[in-house]
PDB file of all heavy atoms in Angstrom:
ATOM      1  N   TYR A 207      35.862 216.427-101.876  1.00 96.00           N
ATOM      2  CA  TYR A 207      34.489 216.680-102.334  1.00 96.00           C
ATOM      3  C   TYR A 207      33.534 215.551-101.955  1.00 96.00           C
ATOM      4  O   TYR A 207      32.403 215.787-101.544  1.00 96.00           O
ATOM      5  CB  TYR A 207      34.466 216.870-103.850  1.00 96.00           C
ATOM      6  CG  TYR A 207      35.000 218.210-104.271  1.00 96.00           C
ATOM      7  CD1 TYR A 207      36.285 218.332-104.807  1.00 96.00           C
ATOM      8  CD2 TYR A 207      34.230 219.354-104.124  1.00 96.00           C
ATOM      9  CE1 TYR A 207      36.781 219.573-105.184  1.00 96.00           C
ATOM     10  CE2 TYR A 207      34.712 220.595-104.495  1.00 96.00           C
ATOM     11  CZ  TYR A 207      35.998 220.697-105.021  1.00 96.00           C
ATOM     12  OH  TYR A 207      36.469 221.920-105.379  1.00 96.00           O
ATOM     13  N   LYS A 208      34.006 214.335-102.112  1.00 96.00           N
ATOM     14  CA  LYS A 208      33.140 213.188-101.860  1.00 96.00           C
ATOM     15  C   LYS A 208      32.704 213.128-100.392  1.00 96.00           C
ATOM     16  O   LYS A 208      31.521 213.015-100.089  1.00 96.00           O
ATOM     17  CB  LYS A 208      33.866 211.914-102.267  1.00 96.00           C
ATOM     18  CG  LYS A 208      33.281 210.627-101.736  1.00 96.00           C
ATOM     19  CD  LYS A 208      31.880 210.385-102.263  1.00 96.00           C
ATOM     20  CE  LYS A 208      31.394 208.998-101.904  1.00 96.00           C
ATOM     21  NZ  LYS A 208      31.359 208.738-100.483  1.00 96.00           N
ATOM     22  N   VAL A 209      33.689 213.195 -99.504  1.00 97.00           N
ATOM     23  CA  VAL A 209      33.378 213.122 -98.079  1.00 97.00           C
ATOM     24  C   VAL A 209      32.507 214.309 -97.668  1.00 97.00           C
ATOM     25  O   VAL A 209      31.518 214.157 -96.945  1.00 97.00           O
ATOM     26  CB  VAL A 209      34.676 213.060 -97.243  1.00 97.00           C
ATOM     27  CG1 VAL A 209      34.372 213.178 -95.759  1.00 97.00           C
ATOM     28  CG2 VAL A 209      35.423 211.763 -97.526  1.00 97.00           C
ATOM     29  N   ALA A 210      32.849 215.500 -98.168  1.00 97.00           N
ATOM     30  CA  ALA A 210      32.061 216.688 -97.837  1.00 97.00           C
ATOM     31  C   ALA A 210      30.602 216.499 -98.264  1.00 97.00           C
ATOM     32  O   ALA A 210      29.683 216.772 -97.486  1.00 97.00           O
ATOM     33  CB  ALA A 210      32.663 217.916 -98.512  1.00 97.00           C
ATOM     34  N   ASP A 211      30.391 216.007 -99.466  1.00 97.00           N
ATOM     35  CA  ASP A 211      29.023 215.811 -99.952  1.00 97.00           C
ATOM     36  C   ASP A 211      28.252 214.817 -99.075  1.00 97.00           C
ATOM     37  O   ASP A 211      27.067 215.018 -98.804  1.00 97.00           O
ATOM     38  CB  ASP A 211      29.033 215.329-101.411  1.00 97.00           C
ATOM     39  CG  ASP A 211      29.122 216.498-102.388  1.00 97.00           C
ATOM     40  OD1 ASP A 211      28.709 217.622-102.017  1.00 97.00           O
ATOM     41  OD2 ASP A 211      29.608 216.303-103.517  1.00 97.00           O
ATOM     42  N   CYS A 212      28.930 213.774 -98.643  1.00 97.00           N
ATOM     43  CA  CYS A 212      28.252 212.790 -97.777  1.00 97.00           C
ATOM     44  C   CYS A 212      27.842 213.424 -96.449  1.00 97.00           C
ATOM     45  O   CYS A 212      26.718 213.229 -95.984  1.00 97.00           O
ATOM     46  CB  CYS A 212      29.155 211.586 -97.526  1.00 97.00           C
ATOM     47  SG  CYS A 212      29.341 210.517 -98.959  1.00 97.00           S
ATOM     48  N   VAL A 213      28.739 214.167 -95.854  1.00 97.00           N
ATOM     49  CA  VAL A 213      28.425 214.797 -94.565  1.00 97.00           C
ATOM     50  C   VAL A 213      27.287 215.805 -94.738  1.00 97.00           C
ATOM     51  O   VAL A 213      26.367 215.876 -93.917  1.00 97.00           O
ATOM     52  CB  VAL A 213      29.680 215.479 -93.978  1.00 97.00           C
ATOM     53  CG1 VAL A 213      29.354 216.207 -92.686  1.00 97.00           C
ATOM     54  CG2 VAL A 213      30.774 214.449 -93.729  1.00 97.00           C
ATOM     55  N   LEU A 214      27.331 216.558 -95.821  1.00 97.00           N
ATOM     56  CA  LEU A 214      26.304 217.563 -96.078  1.00 97.00           C
ATOM     57  C   LEU A 214      24.933 216.921 -96.285  1.00 97.00           C
ATOM     58  O   LEU A 214      23.925 217.399 -95.776  1.00 97.00           O
ATOM     59  CB  LEU A 214      26.675 218.395 -97.310  1.00 97.00           C
ATOM     60  CG  LEU A 214      27.879 219.317 -97.106  1.00 97.00           C
ATOM     61  CD1 LEU A 214      28.426 219.819 -98.439  1.00 97.00           C
ATOM     62  CD2 LEU A 214      27.503 220.496 -96.210  1.00 97.00           C
ATOM     63  N   LEU A 215      24.923 215.830 -97.009  1.00 97.00           N
ATOM     64  CA  LEU A 215      23.648 215.175 -97.309  1.00 97.00           C
ATOM     65  C   LEU A 215      23.092 214.400 -96.119  1.00 97.00           C
ATOM     66  O   LEU A 215      21.910 214.506 -95.806  1.00 97.00           O
ATOM     67  CB  LEU A 215      23.844 214.219 -98.502  1.00 97.00           C
ATOM     68  CG  LEU A 215      22.625 213.385 -98.906  1.00 97.00           C
ATOM     69  CD1 LEU A 215      21.464 214.266 -99.341  1.00 97.00           C
ATOM     70  CD2 LEU A 215      23.002 212.415-100.027  1.00 97.00           C
ATOM     71  N   PHE A 216      23.952 213.657 -95.453  1.00 97.00           N
ATOM     72  CA  PHE A 216      23.462 212.723 -94.433  1.00 97.00           C
ATOM     73  C   PHE A 216      23.329 213.338 -93.046  1.00 97.00           C
ATOM     74  O   PHE A 216      22.743 212.739 -92.164  1.00 97.00           O
ATOM     75  CB  PHE A 216      24.353 211.484 -94.370  1.00 97.00           C
ATOM     76  CG  PHE A 216      24.384 210.703 -95.652  1.00 97.00           C
ATOM     77  CD1 PHE A 216      25.586 210.317 -96.222  1.00 97.00           C
ATOM     78  CD2 PHE A 216      23.202 210.362 -96.295  1.00 97.00           C
ATOM     79  CE1 PHE A 216      25.616 209.603 -97.414  1.00 97.00           C
ATOM     80  CE2 PHE A 216      23.207 209.641 -97.485  1.00 97.00           C
ATOM     81  CZ  PHE A 216      24.432 209.272 -98.045  1.00 97.00           C
ATOM     82  N   SER A 217      23.915 214.514 -92.845  1.00 97.00           N
ATOM     83  CA  SER A 217      23.797 215.064 -91.495  1.00 97.00           C
ATOM     84  C   SER A 217      23.510 216.554 -91.446  1.00 97.00           C
ATOM     85  O   SER A 217      23.187 217.076 -90.393  1.00 97.00           O
ATOM     86  CB  SER A 217      25.065 214.769 -90.687  1.00 97.00           C
ATOM     87  OG  SER A 217      26.148 215.559 -91.124  1.00 97.00           O
ATOM     88  N   LEU A 218      23.637 217.257 -92.567  1.00 98.00           N
ATOM     89  CA  LEU A 218      23.464 218.711 -92.512  1.00 98.00           C
ATOM     90  C   LEU A 218      22.316 219.220 -93.390  1.00 98.00           C
ATOM     91  O   LEU A 218      22.230 220.408 -93.692  1.00 98.00           O
ATOM     92  CB  LEU A 218      24.784 219.408 -92.865  1.00 98.00           C
ATOM     93  CG  LEU A 218      25.904 219.150 -91.840  1.00 98.00           C
ATOM     94  CD1 LEU A 218      27.251 219.631 -92.374  1.00 98.00           C
ATOM     95  CD2 LEU A 218      25.597 219.823 -90.508  1.00 98.00           C
ATOM     96  N   GLU A 219      21.467 218.292 -93.779  1.00 98.00           N
ATOM     97  CA  GLU A 219      20.222 218.636 -94.459  1.00 98.00           C
ATOM     98  C   GLU A 219      20.393 219.346 -95.798  1.00 98.00           C
ATOM     99  O   GLU A 219      19.536 220.137 -96.202  1.00 98.00           O
ATOM    100  CB  GLU A 219      19.325 219.467 -93.536  1.00 98.00           C
ATOM    101  CG  GLU A 219      18.984 218.725 -92.250  1.00 98.00           C
ATOM    102  CD  GLU A 219      18.187 219.568 -91.267  1.00 98.00           C
ATOM    103  OE1 GLU A 219      17.217 220.194 -91.696  1.00 98.00           O
ATOM    104  OE2 GLU A 219      18.555 219.572 -90.076  1.00 98.00           O
TER     105      GLU A 219
END
Side-chain angles (χ1 to χ4, degrees):
Chain A
Y207 285 103
K208 164 63 171 59
V209 172
D211 275 335
C212 288
V213 177
L214 291 164
L215 177 62
F216 298 130
S217 72
L218 295 169
E219 301 175 47

